[in-house]
């Protein structure tokens, strides 16, 4: 107790109190209050283990467990009493337990320090956040697949250097994002596995002097394994870096997609119509329909990348073991996770509202000779080396450009004077090859944009996304089971 009757976790060797300005400076409660239920679960598992191992008196252990269960129920219901003066969420919980049980509460911190405690609660949080983010990404993938199923047959130019390059199926274009996001889910799963290690039992820095059963605590909390080194476990946050690294790449992918939505909704491109549900107006220009949500997805990239870099900065050069610098980890991770989750969900909504303007896509294929490569490929198949064929095709393009014609407008006579030696069937073949349909049909290789390949890729992607969906559901169910078991068992 302190002089005001408040609960203190430390103070035996102190006469004075921390300067109020520094108390405000060092508190983490406004941020780590989000760990409340996670820390209570960790505390419950710890208390049960202490009781089972007879490290604390049995009746006291039962009392502590009952009180913590009640507190967990209140935390989950949002009725847990919050003392804003607490130093952090761990102190808050300990003080509240003391308020309820008096002296008996003093057994709970046995064989535990806030250093292994905070690492445990934080890892539990990160594990759940990984699954939640995976779920949101899978939602977005499913939205992409729905679009691909509906509009995947539409043709548009693929771009390199943002210049019209070659015709592509919209389905192929959309699937590119499905695969990017699939790798994002893989990385999030790896981050979850990195977080899936129990630090409790590490104490403040070097382990604890009681016969704790770390494996039992890990089982109760759903951790796959226990940490190998107490200094490492209390001082390391690389699992959080891995999580933010996965989110940074996810946001990078989202920002590319968002940038494309912005571009496609310009009148200059005109591939995408913005429905009222995704467009915002201008306060001065009545004609405007702006893609603000997509712009914000692009703009929020900076936060997540900033959080990642900041977290690396927190860790750089830190001495081994827990240092208070580490307290900065949570604000960064929470912000990054909230931002990324928000952005993925917004992307899902925009995808659901996407209305493609097929006539504009088609028109974009009519200019810029995006099927010129088909001429050289055709000549190669007839025995001309590619470099020479490329030059001949270039001459055709130059001719057509001067005539103000598209390749599909060239007459058979023009073809035969440009490429002497072709008979009539060959010229017909070539004229079919330089249509957008002919061009995509020719890309009949694994990973190419031929309609059959895209159809097969869509089916493969749907199967893979289905598997990811199953994984998310199983992981979420397992988390739920662990939470319920902790809440239920006495
Ligand atoms: N609030 C601290 C954090 O978030 C945990 C407490 C450890 N504090 C300490 N003085 N050992 O990292």
């Amino acid at each position: 107790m302190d002089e005001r009757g408040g609960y203190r976790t430390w103070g035996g060797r102190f006469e004075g109190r921390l300067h109020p300005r520094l108390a405000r400076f060092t508190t983490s409660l406004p941020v780590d209050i989000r760990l409340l239920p996670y820390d209570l679960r960790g505390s419950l598992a710890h208390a049960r283990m202490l009781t089972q191992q007879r490290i604390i008196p049995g009746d006291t252990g039962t009392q502590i467990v009952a009180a913590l269960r009640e507190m967990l129920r209140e935390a989950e219901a949002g009725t847990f009493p919050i003392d804003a003066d607490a130093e952090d969420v761990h102190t808050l919980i300990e003080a509240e337990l003391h308020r309820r049980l008096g002296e008996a509460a003093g057994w709970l911190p046995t064989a535990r320090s806030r250093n292994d405690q905070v690492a445990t609660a934080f890892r539990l949080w990160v594990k759940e956040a990984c699954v939640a983010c995976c779920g949101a990404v899978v939602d977005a993938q499913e939205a992409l697949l729905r679009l691909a199923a509906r509009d995947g047959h539409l043709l548009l130019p693929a771009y390199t250097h943002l210049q019209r390059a070659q015709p592509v199926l919209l389905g192929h274009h959309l699937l590119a994002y499905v695969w990017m996001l699939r790798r994002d889910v893989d990385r999030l799963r790896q981050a979850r596995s990195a977080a899936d290690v129990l630090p409790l039992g590490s104490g403040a820095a070097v382990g604890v002097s009681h016969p704790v059963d770390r494996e039992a605590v890990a089982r109760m909390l759903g951790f796959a394994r226990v940490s190998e080194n107490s200094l490492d476990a209390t001082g390391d946050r690389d699992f959080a870096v891995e999580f933010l690294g996965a989110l940074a790449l996810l946001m990078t992918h989202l920002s590319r997609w968002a940038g494309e939505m912005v571009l496609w909704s310009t009148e200059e491109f005109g591939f995408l119509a913005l429905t009222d549900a995704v467009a915002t107006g201008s306060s001065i220009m009545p004609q405007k329909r702006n893609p603000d949500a997509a712009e914000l997805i692009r703009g929020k990239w900076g936060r997540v990348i900033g959080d990642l870099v900041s977290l690396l900065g927190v860790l750089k050069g830190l001495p081994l073991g827990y240092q208070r610098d580490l307290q900065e980890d949570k604000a960064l991770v929470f912000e990054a996770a909230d931002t990324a989750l928000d952005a993925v969900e917004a992307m899902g909504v925009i995808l659901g509202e996407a209305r493609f303007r097929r006539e504009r896509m088609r028109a974009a294929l009519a200019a810029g000779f995006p099927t010129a490569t088909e001429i050289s490929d055709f000549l190669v198949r007839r025995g001309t080396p590619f470099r020479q064929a490329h030059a001949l095709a270039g001459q055709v393009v130059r001719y057509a450009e001067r005539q103000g014609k598209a390749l599909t407008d060239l007459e058979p006579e023009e073809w035969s004077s440009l490429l002497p030696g072709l008979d009539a069937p060959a010229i017909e073949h070539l004229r079919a090859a330089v249509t957008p349909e002919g061009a995509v049909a020719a890309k009949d290789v694994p990973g190419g944009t031929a309609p059959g390949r895209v159809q097969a890729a869509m089916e493969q992607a749907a199967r893979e996304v289905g598997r990811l969906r199953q994984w998310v559901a199983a992981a979420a169910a397992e988390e739920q089971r662990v939470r319920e078991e902790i809440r239920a068992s006495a």
Side-chain angles (χ1 to χ4, degrees):
M1 288 291 160
D2 68 10
E3 61 280 6
R4 297 178 312 154
Y7 183 82
R8 291 174 77 176
T9 52
W10 44 267
R13 70 164 342 271
F14 286 80
E15 285 178 9
R17 284 181 63 83
L18 181 62
H19 191 290
R21 184 65 193 84
L22 293 188
R24 250 193 300 141
F25 180 63
T26 54
T27 180
S28 55
L29 190 66
V31 173
D32 64 23
I33 189 68
R34 283 178 79 163
L35 294 181
L36 181 64
Y38 300 86
D39 196 72
L40 282 165
R41 287 180 203 122
S43 296
L44 260 169
H46 181 66
R48 285 205 184 100
M49 181 279 294
L50 290 178
T51 316
Q52 278 158 16
Q53 295 293 99
R54 304 183 194 285
I55 296 169
I56 64 174
D59 50 343
T60 311
T62 313
Q63 244 184 309
I64 292 175
V65 166
L68 287 172
R69 283 177 63 189
E70 184 57 28
M71 286 158 66
L72 178 57
R73 260 194 295 278
E74 292 170 22
E76 287 172 344
T79 59
F80 188 96
I82 290 162
D83 169 12
D85 286 339
E87 182 188 319
D88 59 22
V89 68
H90 322 288
T91 317
L92 175 79
I93 291 170
E94 199 177 314
E96 182 58 25
L97 190 69
H98 187 266
R99 204 177 60 75
R100 297 183 188 204
L101 298 185
E103 290 294 294
W107 286 100
L108 177 64
T110 313
R112 189 179 71 168
S113 145
R114 270 187 300 166
N115 299 350
D116 55 355
Q117 189 180 350
V118 65
T120 300
F122 194 33
R123 280 174 180 270
L124 286 173
W125 192 93
V126 168
K127 278 178 62 183
E128 285 196 9
C130 285
V131 175
C133 289
C134 284
V137 174
V138 172
D139 289 343
Q141 286 180 305
E142 287 172 348
L144 282 162
L145 286 173
R146 276 194 296 275
L147 274 189
R150 188 187 74 192
D151 295 332
H153 59 284
L154 300 180
L155 285 161
L156 74 157
Y159 291 79
T160 64
H161 311 271
L162 201 53
Q163 306 288 324
R164 289 171 197 165
Q166 291 179 295
V168 69
L169 287 177
L170 179 60
H172 198 62
H173 190 106
L174 293 170
L175 281 178
Y177 289 106
V178 176
W179 298 121
M180 276 184 243
L181 295 177
R182 201 203 77 149
R183 295 193 296 276
D184 289 323
V185 173
D186 285 347
R187 277 181 284 268
L188 284 165
R189 287 173 65 171
Q190 279 163 28
R192 181 177 187 270
S193 153
D196 205 5
V197 181
L198 174 79
L200 272 182
S202 301
V206 296
V208 296
S209 324
H210 301 278
V212 291
D213 184 350
R214 300 189 65 204
E215 296 290 345
V217 177
R219 267 195 308 279
M220 283 188 261
L221 292 173
F223 281 109
R225 51 201 190 278
V226 304
S227 56
E228 293 88 358
N229 182 296
S230 58
L231 277 170
D232 181 30
T234 48
D236 131 68
R237 294 293 182 270
D238 50 16
F239 65 96
V241 173
E242 287 185 45
F243 178 41
L244 296 205
L247 293 183
L249 212 36
L250 167 64
M251 286 302 288
T252 303
H253 289 155
L254 294 190
S255 79
R256 295 183 72 173
W257 171 84
E260 195 163 73
M261 293 296 100
V262 172
L263 201 62
W264 283 14
S265 61
T266 59
E267 201 42 52
E268 285 72 8
F269 266 78
F271 295 174
L272 186 71
L274 296 175
T275 65
D276 288 358
V278 299
T280 40
S282 157
S283 55
I284 176 167
M285 297 164 284
Q287 84 283 10
K288 289 298 286 288
R289 295 175 76 75
N290 295 328
D292 292 37
E295 292 167 87
L296 276 168
I297 292 176
R298 192 175 58 183
K300 281 174 189 286
W301 176 90
R303 290 193 192 220
V304 177
I305 274 60
D307 292 328
L308 169 63
V309 176
S310 300
L311 183 59
L312 287 165
V314 167
L315 299 178
K316 176 185 173 292
L318 275 193
L320 218 51
Y322 179 85
Q323 320 295 326
R324 190 64 177 265
D325 316 43
L326 292 173
Q327 179 170 287
E328 289 297 303
D329 57 2
K330 284 170 286 298
L332 301 170
V333 168
F334 293 161
E335 180 186 62
D338 292 346
T339 305
L341 203 55
D342 236 21
V344 185
E345 287 176 6
M347 175 187 178
V349 173
I350 299 174
L351 285 169
E353 289 288 325
R355 302 290 176 269
F356 294 107
R357 298 170 68 188
R358 61 188 69 201
E359 71 298 344
R360 293 296 302 266
M361 292 176 166
R362 188 79 209 187
L365 285 169
F369 310 100
T371 59
T373 317
E374 305 314 310
I375 306 172
S376 16
D377 286 342
F378 173 85
L379 295 173
V380 166
R381 282 194 293 274
R382 292 174 60 89
T384 312
F386 181 79
R387 201 42 75 214
Q388 284 83 317
H390 183 289
L392 286 169
Q395 284 162 21
V396 176
V397 169
R398 199 169 54 200
Y399 168 83
E401 197 167 34
R402 257 195 256 126
Q403 302 294 311
K405 286 184 167 183
L407 295 179
T408 43
D409 298 334
L410 293 181
E411 301 298 337
E413 308 75 61
E414 295 176 291
W415 283 112
S416 58
S417 67
L418 284 161
L419 303 170
L422 297 184
D423 57 13
I427 287 176
E428 275 328 294
H429 217 93
L430 181 51
R431 293 185 74 209
V434 297
T435 61
E437 284 77 8
V440 294
K443 304 302 172 299
D444 193 12
V445 292
T449 192
R453 298 288 181 173
V454 173
Q455 184 58 38
M458 261 162 61
E459 286 159 18
Q460 185 195 347
R463 281 193 300 276
E464 295 216 13
V465 170
R467 273 198 288 278
L468 297 181
R469 165 67 69 207
Q470 269 172 15
W471 179 84
V472 169
E478 174 60 13
E479 282 170 351
Q480 169 100 5
R481 186 193 64 74
V482 167
R483 281 198 302 266
E484 275 166 15
E485 232 171 77
I486 288 186
R487 208 185 297 127
S489 59

